[in-house]
């Protein structure tokens, strides 16, 4: 897993909305269900 600065990938409006719920810190965004690897 690599970390990416939210400023570089999210539009400003979306980033402002996310900051209403979490201002600073780390947020994990999982892959879509169709892109996940199966275990075992």
């Amino acid at each position: 897993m690599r970390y990416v600065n939210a400023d570089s990938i999210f539009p400003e409006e979306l980033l402002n909305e996310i900051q209403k719920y979490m201002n600073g810190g780390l947020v994990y965004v999982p892959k879509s269900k169709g892109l996940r690897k199966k275990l075992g």
Side-chain angles (χ1 to χ4, degrees):
M1 179 185 339
R2 65 186 180 105
Y3 295 98
V4 179
N5 190 332
D7 285 338
S8 65
I9 58 172
F10 292 134
E12 187 176 347
E13 298 83 22
L14 179 57
L15 187 57
N16 289 335
E17 191 66 27
I18 293 169
Q19 286 174 329
K20 289 179 183 178
Y21 299 94
M22 179 151 189
N23 195 2
L26 301 175
V27 177
Y28 172 73
V29 179
K31 290 183 178 182
S32 298
K33 288 186 179 185
L35 299 175
R36 293 181 184 170
K37 294 182 180 179
K38 294 189 178 192
L39 298 176

